[in-house]
């Protein structure tokens, strides 16, 4: 069965600091990988997605993520965070040819001015 | 388009009561799903459907039933509510093959006392 681990539960940063949020998945086959963001009081929004090809994918708002197959990882990065990035971030995996999107436990990011 | 709508927004139940959470979408999406969101647990898939008349279990299906008699509607039934079912419930929908582009409803906050 697919599962997703996010080891950083709560991250606190100052504005302009760099961000890296970890995501590891367990599934032996081909996967599609995603990062979502949930701003306070809002729905989930898709930040970026990876299906195949270049393992470094760029998303909205300056976020990027790198797929490292050998490490079963898909870490999210941003070179310089802003106060408006304060939100909860979820990694998700969809095993190829399945109909389930499985989410990680989420990482709460707080950015202070 | 109204998108994905959920009713009610809030609900308080006593242990043992039953109720149905409603979900409807007007985007002609084949795929619909129910998640529950709990602090520190992320979003967990309860049930999903790939089309009218077809449903399947997700990660945490026990205590919940679903049906999909039309493309638009995907109600979630709690047969005998338990305090462990206190959570925020999200319904989502998407085109088949685009699970990552799920549109999420506004959520139902359920408390079971």
């Amino acid at each position: 069965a697919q599962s997703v681990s996010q080891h950083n539960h709560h991250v606190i940063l100052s504005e302009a600091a760099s961000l890296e949020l970890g995501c590891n998945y367990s599934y032996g086959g081909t996967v599609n990988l995603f990062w979502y963001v949930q701003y306070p009081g809002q729905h989930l929004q898709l930040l970026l997605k990876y299906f195949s090809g270049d393992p470094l994918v760029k998303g909205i708002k300056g976020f990027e993520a790198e797929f490292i197959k050998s490490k079963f990882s898909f870490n999210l990065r941003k070179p310089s965070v802003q106060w408006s990035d304060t939100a909860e971030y979820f990694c998700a995996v969809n095993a190829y040819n399945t109909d389930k999107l499985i989410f990680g436990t989420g990482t709460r990011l707080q950015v202070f001015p | 388009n109204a998108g994905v709508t959920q009713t009610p927004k809030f609900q308080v139940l006593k242990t043992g009561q039953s109720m149905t959470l409603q979900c409807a979408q007007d985007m002609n999406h084949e795929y619909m799903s129910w998640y529950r969101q709990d602090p520190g647990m992320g979003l967990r898939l309860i049930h999903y459907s790939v089309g009218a008349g077809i449903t399947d279990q997700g990660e945490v299906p026990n205590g919940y039933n679903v049906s999909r008699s039309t493309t638009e509607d995907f109600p979630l039934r709690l047969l005998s509510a338990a305090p462990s079912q206190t959570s925020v419930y999200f319904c989502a929908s998407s085109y088949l093959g685009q699970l990552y582009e799920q549109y999420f409803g506004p959520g139902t906050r359920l408390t079971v006392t």
Side-chain angles (χ1 to χ4, degrees), chain B residues 2-56:
Chain B
V4 179
T5 57
Q6 290 183 237
T7 55
K9 284 190 168 51
F10 300 95
Q11 183 71 49
V12 179
L13 290 178
K14 288 187 171 25
T15 298
Q17 286 185 314
S18 62
M19 80 158 294
T20 299
L21 307 186
Q22 301 291 346
C23 174
Q25 52 91 12
D26 60 359
M27 297 171 281
N28 206 29
H29 286 161
E30 302 95 346
Y31 185 90
M32 294 186 76
S33 58
W34 277 102
Y35 291 89
R36 59 177 290 175
Q37 185 175 22
D38 303 290
M41 306 285 285
L43 280 87
R44 291 180 291 169
L45 181 65
I46 304 172
H47 285 286
Y48 65 98
S49 167
V50 298
I54 307 169
T55 64
D56 209 342

Side-chain angles (χ1 to χ4, degrees), chain A residues 3-49:
Chain A
S3 69
V4 182
S5 299
Q6 291 181 246
H7 302 295
N8 313 107
H9 299 294
H10 190 190
V11 173
I12 301 173
L13 294 172
S14 298
E15 274 192 319
S18 64
L19 169 73
E20 180 159 4
L21 301 182
C23 172
N24 289 88
Y25 66 93
S26 65
Y27 184 74
T30 303
V31 293
N32 300 316
L33 297 157
F34 313 95
W35 275 98
Y36 290 81
V37 60
Q38 187 177 30
Y39 297 105
Q42 295 190 25
H43 305 176
L44 263 72
Q45 298 175 40
L46 182 65
L47 262 184
L48 46 78
K49 55 187 184 266

